[in-house]
């Protein structure tokens, strides 16, 4: 079932400090990273170096830490046959995680190469924080943000590729213009999704049970539907200020 939730702008004014500075490690966190050491912490994360959805690829060199946080770029160019070659970046937690609270503080993709720049969004990419293992045996997208439709956040839970539940949230702000908190609380009976601390969706019909990896990715699309048609020769950047995981008690 698809549900559209309109979230009023006033609900998010109290969260301006969070969006400006990002949270500290929450109490009880067993995985936390603010990506500030200047390189990938390989005790926590594995960079992807393989194919991406839509026929593109992920390369570790597209993960950058020079701005004091994680920056993931996407490029799209024409290949020798006139098709689109998309390159992006992805990382996954070194260890599988289970029930608990997951939080990504991130800025969706735009043309700004700095965390505070006034870049604009373009068609042809997905920005996402999610939980994943074994060809979607567990997949929880929290959320996915499309390039051609950035004002809609997609919250999805999957058990295998044929069973899914999803909702959408229309935002009163532009996710590509600043940082916001995207959080899910996963238990054995439900998944609750929060936007800047406000509950926006609850899934009970499709709740994965298998431990999975925390993921962050930014990848290119070339579709009239999902993600939008490619925008060649314009580099775009997604920023992640922090990630945390607190296991369920």
């Amino acid at each position: 079932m698809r549900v559209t939730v309109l979230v009023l702008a006033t609900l998010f004014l109290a969260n301006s400090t969070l969006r400006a500075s990002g949270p500290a490690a929450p109490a009880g966190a067993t995985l936390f990273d603010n990506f500030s050491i200047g390189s990938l912490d390989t005790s926590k994360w594995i960079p992807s170096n393989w194919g991406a959805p839509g026929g593109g690829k992920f390369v570790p060199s597209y993960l950058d830490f020079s701005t004091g946080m994680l920056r993931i770029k996407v490029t799209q160019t024409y290949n020798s046959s006139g098709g689109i070659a998309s390159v992006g970046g992805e990382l996954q937690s070194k260890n599988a995680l289970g029930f608990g609270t997951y939080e990504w503080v991130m800025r969706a993709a735009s043309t700004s190469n700095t965390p505070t720049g006034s870049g604009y969004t373009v068609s042809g990419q997905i920005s996402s924080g999610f939980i994943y293992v074994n060809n979607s045996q567990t997949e929880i997208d929290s959320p996915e943000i499309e390039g051609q439709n950035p004002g809609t956040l997609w919250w999805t839970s999957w058990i295998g590729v044929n069973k899914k539940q999803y909702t959408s949230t229309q935002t009163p702000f532009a996710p590509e213009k600043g940082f916001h908190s995207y959080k899910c609380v996963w238990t054995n009976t439900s998944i609750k999704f929060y936007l800047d601390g406000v509950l926006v969706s609850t899934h009970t019909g499709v709740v994965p049970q298998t431990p999975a990896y925390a993921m962050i990715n930014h990848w290119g699309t070339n579709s009239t539907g999902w993600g939008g048609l490619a925008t060649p020769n314009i580099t775009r950047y997604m920023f992640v200020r922090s990630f945390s995981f607190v296991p369920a008690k």
Side-chain angles (χ1 to χ4, degrees):
M1 179 179 66
R2 176 176 176 176
V3 179
T4 299
V5 182
L6 177 62
V7 183
L8 299 178
T10 52
L11 293 176
F12 302 100
L13 294 178
N15 296 288
S16 60
T17 299
L18 170 64
R19 295 196 297 269
S21 60
T30 58
L31 177 58
F32 175 78
D33 202 341
N34 60 14
F35 305 104
S36 62
I37 65 172
S39 61
L40 183 66
D41 187 341
T42 55
S43 70
K44 300 175 180 178
W45 303 101
I46 298 171
S48 297
N49 191 16
W50 47 70
K57 62 181 179 180
F58 293 123
V59 296
S61 62
Y62 273 39
L63 308 175
D64 176 79
F65 303 88
S66 61
T67 60
M69 63 188 71
L70 172 61
R71 180 176 68 181
I72 309 177
K73 71 179 179 180
V74 159
T75 59
Q76 294 183 305
T77 56
Y78 291 106
N79 59 30
S80 59
S81 62
I84 297 296
S86 295
V87 183
E90 178 182 74
L91 70 169
Q92 70 173 51
S93 61
K94 193 168 184 179
N95 300 310
L97 310 171
F99 299 135
T101 299
Y102 298 73
E103 184 174 12
W104 298 259
V105 177
M106 66 186 193
R107 175 179 174 174
S110 79
T111 57
S112 174
N113 65 359
T114 66
T116 57
S118 57
Y120 57 92
T121 189
V122 299
S123 178
Q125 85 252 333
I126 300 293
S127 307
S128 185
F130 63 112
I131 308 162
Y132 179 88
V133 75
N134 293 345
N135 196 30
S136 298
Q137 181 180 7
T138 289
E139 181 175 346
I140 301 171
D141 302 317
S142 181
E144 290 183 297
I145 305 171
E146 301 177 81
Q148 96 290 13
N149 192 20
T152 299
L153 311 179
W154 293 100
W155 317 88
T156 309
S157 55
W158 302 70
I159 303 174
V161 296
N162 295 317
K163 187 175 182 182
K164 65 180 178 180
Q165 177 173 310
Y166 58 90
T167 53
S168 66
T169 300
Q170 273 67 59
T171 68
F173 54 82
E176 75 278 7
K177 294 295 185 182
F179 288 88
H180 296 273
S181 164
Y182 305 96
K183 181 171 69 176
C184 73
V185 180
W186 177 26
T187 72
N188 65 334
T189 58
S190 70
I191 308 165
K192 296 182 182 294
F193 297 97
Y194 296 81
L195 174 57
D196 288 334
V198 177
L199 178 66
V200 293
S201 185
T202 301
H203 290 190
T204 58
V206 177
V207 180
Q209 302 293 304
T210 304
Y213 299 97
M215 310 282 291
I216 303 168
N217 71 14
H218 182 201
W219 51 280
T221 67
N222 187 29
S223 167
T224 56
W226 186 241
L229 292 171
T231 306
N233 304 316
I234 295 180
T235 303
R236 69 294 305 250
Y237 305 85
M238 168 187 171
F239 291 89
V240 183
R241 193 180 294 279
S242 65
F243 169 80
S244 64
F245 168 69
V246 179
K249 296 182 180 179

